[in-house]
Short mmCIF file of all heavy atoms in Angstrom, two decimals:
data_model
loop_
_atom_site.label_atom_id
_atom_site.label_comp_id
_atom_site.label_asym_id
_atom_site.label_seq_id
_atom_site.Cartn_x
_atom_site.Cartn_y
_atom_site.Cartn_z
N LEU J 735 84.26 111.37 86.36
CA LEU J 735 83.71 110.08 85.91
C LEU J 735 84.76 108.97 86.10
O LEU J 735 84.48 107.91 86.65
CB LEU J 735 83.31 110.16 84.43
CG LEU J 735 82.73 108.90 83.80
CD1 LEU J 735 81.26 108.73 84.18
CD2 LEU J 735 82.84 108.92 82.28
N TYR J 739 84.54 105.65 88.67
CA TYR J 739 84.69 104.28 88.18
C TYR J 739 85.94 103.63 88.76
O TYR J 739 85.92 102.45 89.13
CB TYR J 739 84.74 104.24 86.65
CG TYR J 739 83.36 104.08 86.03
CD1 TYR J 739 82.79 105.09 85.28
CD2 TYR J 739 82.63 102.91 86.21
CE1 TYR J 739 81.52 104.94 84.73
CE2 TYR J 739 81.36 102.76 85.67
CZ TYR J 739 80.82 103.78 84.93
OH TYR J 739 79.56 103.63 84.39
N TYR J 743 86.41 100.01 90.35
CA TYR J 743 87.24 99.01 89.67
C TYR J 743 88.45 98.60 90.51
O TYR J 743 88.90 97.47 90.42
CB TYR J 743 87.69 99.53 88.31
CG TYR J 743 86.56 99.66 87.30
CD1 TYR J 743 86.53 100.71 86.38
CD2 TYR J 743 85.54 98.72 87.24
CE1 TYR J 743 85.51 100.82 85.45
CE2 TYR J 743 84.51 98.82 86.32
CZ TYR J 743 84.49 99.87 85.42
OH TYR J 743 83.49 99.97 84.50
N GLY J 764 81.22 88.90 85.86
CA GLY J 764 82.26 89.94 85.90
C GLY J 764 81.80 91.25 85.30
O GLY J 764 82.61 92.12 84.97
N GLN J 765 80.49 91.42 85.18
CA GLN J 765 79.96 92.66 84.62
C GLN J 765 80.01 93.80 85.63
O GLN J 765 79.91 93.57 86.84
CB GLN J 765 78.50 92.46 84.14
CG GLN J 765 77.44 92.19 85.21
CD GLN J 765 77.34 90.75 85.64
OE1 GLN J 765 78.31 90.20 86.13
NE2 GLN J 765 76.17 90.16 85.51
N HIS J 766 80.21 95.02 85.13
CA HIS J 766 79.92 96.19 85.97
C HIS J 766 78.92 97.02 85.19
O HIS J 766 79.23 98.06 84.61
CB HIS J 766 81.18 96.99 86.31
CG HIS J 766 80.82 98.13 87.23
ND1 HIS J 766 80.36 97.91 88.50
CD2 HIS J 766 80.77 99.46 87.03
CE1 HIS J 766 80.06 99.07 89.05
NE2 HIS J 766 80.29 100.03 88.18
N SER J 767 77.72 96.49 85.13
CA SER J 767 76.66 97.11 84.34
C SER J 767 75.37 96.49 84.81
O SER J 767 75.32 95.80 85.82
CB SER J 767 76.91 96.83 82.85
OG SER J 767 76.97 95.43 82.63
N PHE J 792 83.02 98.34 73.12
CA PHE J 792 83.28 99.76 73.37
C PHE J 792 82.83 100.09 74.81
O PHE J 792 81.65 100.05 75.11
CB PHE J 792 82.51 100.60 72.35
CG PHE J 792 82.70 102.08 72.51
CD1 PHE J 792 83.92 102.67 72.21
CD2 PHE J 792 81.67 102.88 72.98
CE1 PHE J 792 84.10 104.04 72.38
CE2 PHE J 792 81.84 104.25 73.13
CZ PHE J 792 83.07 104.82 72.83
N GLY J 793 83.82 100.39 75.69
CA GLY J 793 83.51 100.61 77.11
C GLY J 793 83.43 99.27 77.82
O GLY J 793 82.47 98.96 78.51
N CYS J 794 84.49 98.46 77.67
CA CYS J 794 84.46 97.07 78.14
C CYS J 794 84.55 96.94 79.65
O CYS J 794 84.26 95.88 80.21
CB CYS J 794 85.60 96.27 77.50
SG CYS J 794 87.24 96.88 77.93
N GLY J 795 84.97 98.02 80.38
CA GLY J 795 85.14 97.91 81.82
C GLY J 795 86.13 96.79 82.14
O GLY J 795 87.10 96.57 81.40
N PRO J 796 85.88 96.01 83.20
CA PRO J 796 86.81 94.92 83.56
C PRO J 796 86.64 93.67 82.68
O PRO J 796 87.12 92.60 83.03
CB PRO J 796 86.45 94.61 85.02
CG PRO J 796 85.55 95.71 85.46
CD PRO J 796 84.89 96.26 84.24
N PRO J 799 81.60 90.87 80.47
CA PRO J 799 80.81 90.44 79.32
C PRO J 799 81.68 90.06 78.11
O PRO J 799 81.37 89.11 77.39
CB PRO J 799 79.95 91.68 79.01
CG PRO J 799 79.82 92.38 80.33
CD PRO J 799 81.15 92.16 81.01
N VAL J 814 87.87 98.28 74.53
CA VAL J 814 88.45 99.60 74.80
C VAL J 814 87.70 100.23 75.96
O VAL J 814 86.51 100.01 76.15
CB VAL J 814 88.39 100.56 73.57
CG1 VAL J 814 89.14 99.98 72.40
CG2 VAL J 814 86.95 100.88 73.16
N ASP J 815 88.44 101.02 76.73
CA ASP J 815 87.82 101.78 77.83
C ASP J 815 88.71 103.00 78.07
O ASP J 815 89.83 103.07 77.57
CB ASP J 815 87.71 100.92 79.09
CG ASP J 815 86.58 101.38 80.01
OD1 ASP J 815 86.73 102.45 80.66
OD2 ASP J 815 85.54 100.71 80.08
N ILE J 816 88.15 103.96 78.85
CA ILE J 816 88.95 105.14 79.17
C ILE J 816 89.48 105.06 80.60
O ILE J 816 90.12 105.98 81.08
CB ILE J 816 88.13 106.44 79.03
CG1 ILE J 816 86.82 106.35 79.82
CG2 ILE J 816 87.85 106.75 77.57
CD1 ILE J 816 86.08 107.67 79.95
N ASN J 817 89.19 103.92 81.27
CA ASN J 817 89.55 103.83 82.67
C ASN J 817 90.69 102.84 82.90
O ASN J 817 90.54 101.64 82.66
CB ASN J 817 88.30 103.42 83.46
CG ASN J 817 88.49 103.66 84.93
OD1 ASN J 817 89.26 102.96 85.58
ND2 ASN J 817 87.84 104.68 85.45
N ALA J 820 89.94 99.88 85.17
CA ALA J 820 89.10 98.88 84.50
C ALA J 820 89.98 97.99 83.64
O ALA J 820 89.86 96.76 83.65
CB ALA J 820 88.05 99.56 83.62
N VAL J 842 91.65 104.15 75.61
CA VAL J 842 91.36 105.18 74.60
C VAL J 842 91.10 106.54 75.26
O VAL J 842 90.53 107.43 74.63
CB VAL J 842 90.17 104.76 73.69
CG1 VAL J 842 90.54 103.58 72.83
CG2 VAL J 842 88.90 104.46 74.50
N VAL J 861 77.90 97.92 76.33
CA VAL J 861 76.90 97.68 77.37
C VAL J 861 76.92 98.80 78.41
O VAL J 861 77.90 98.98 79.13
CB VAL J 861 77.16 96.30 78.05
CG1 VAL J 861 76.13 96.05 79.15
CG2 VAL J 861 77.12 95.18 77.03
N ASP J 862 75.84 99.55 78.43
CA ASP J 862 75.63 100.60 79.43
C ASP J 862 76.75 101.65 79.44
O ASP J 862 77.23 102.05 80.52
CB ASP J 862 75.41 99.98 80.83
CG ASP J 862 74.14 99.12 80.87
OD1 ASP J 862 73.23 99.37 80.07
OD2 ASP J 862 74.06 98.20 81.69
N VAL J 863 77.10 102.09 78.27
CA VAL J 863 78.17 103.09 78.12
C VAL J 863 77.63 104.41 77.56
O VAL J 863 78.05 105.49 77.97
CB VAL J 863 79.29 102.56 77.18
CG1 VAL J 863 80.41 103.58 77.00
CG2 VAL J 863 79.86 101.24 77.70
N HIS J 866 77.15 107.91 79.10
CA HIS J 866 78.29 108.75 79.50
C HIS J 866 78.84 109.58 78.34
O HIS J 866 79.73 110.40 78.54
CB HIS J 866 79.43 107.88 80.03
CG HIS J 866 79.06 107.12 81.28
ND1 HIS J 866 78.50 107.72 82.37
CD2 HIS J 866 79.19 105.81 81.60
CE1 HIS J 866 78.28 106.82 83.32
NE2 HIS J 866 78.69 105.65 82.86
N LEU J 867 78.37 109.35 77.12
CA LEU J 867 79.00 110.00 75.96
C LEU J 867 78.37 111.36 75.69
O LEU J 867 77.16 111.45 75.45
CB LEU J 867 78.86 109.10 74.72
CG LEU J 867 79.37 107.66 74.90
CD1 LEU J 867 79.05 106.83 73.66
CD2 LEU J 867 80.86 107.64 75.21
C1 SAM O 1354 78.63 100.81 83.29
S1 SAM O 1354 80.28 100.52 82.83
C2 SAM O 1354 80.06 99.12 81.77
C3 SAM O 1354 81.30 98.27 81.65
C4 SAM O 1354 81.12 97.00 80.79
N1 SAM O 1354 80.53 97.31 79.51
C5 SAM O 1354 80.26 95.96 81.49
O1 SAM O 1354 79.15 95.69 81.02
O2 SAM O 1354 80.72 95.42 82.50
C6 SAM O 1354 80.60 101.83 81.66
C7 SAM O 1354 82.02 101.86 81.15
O3 SAM O 1354 82.11 102.82 80.08
C8 SAM O 1354 83.40 103.40 80.13
N2 SAM O 1354 83.37 104.63 79.32
C9 SAM O 1354 82.79 105.82 79.58
N3 SAM O 1354 83.01 106.70 78.59
C10 SAM O 1354 83.75 106.05 77.65
C11 SAM O 1354 84.32 106.42 76.39
N4 SAM O 1354 84.18 107.64 75.89
N5 SAM O 1354 85.03 105.50 75.70
C12 SAM O 1354 85.20 104.25 76.20
N6 SAM O 1354 84.70 103.84 77.41
C13 SAM O 1354 83.98 104.73 78.12
C14 SAM O 1354 83.63 103.62 81.62
O4 SAM O 1354 84.98 103.84 81.94
C15 SAM O 1354 83.06 102.32 82.18
O5 SAM O 1354 84.06 101.34 82.31
#
Side-chain angles (χ1 to χ4, degrees):
L735 180 79
Y739 270 113
Y743 291 143
Q765 67 276 61
H766 183 65
S767 58
F792 180 70
C794 62
V814 300
D815 205 287
I816 52 169
N817 195 289
V842 293
V861 179
D862 296 335
V863 179
H866 297 310
L867 306 174

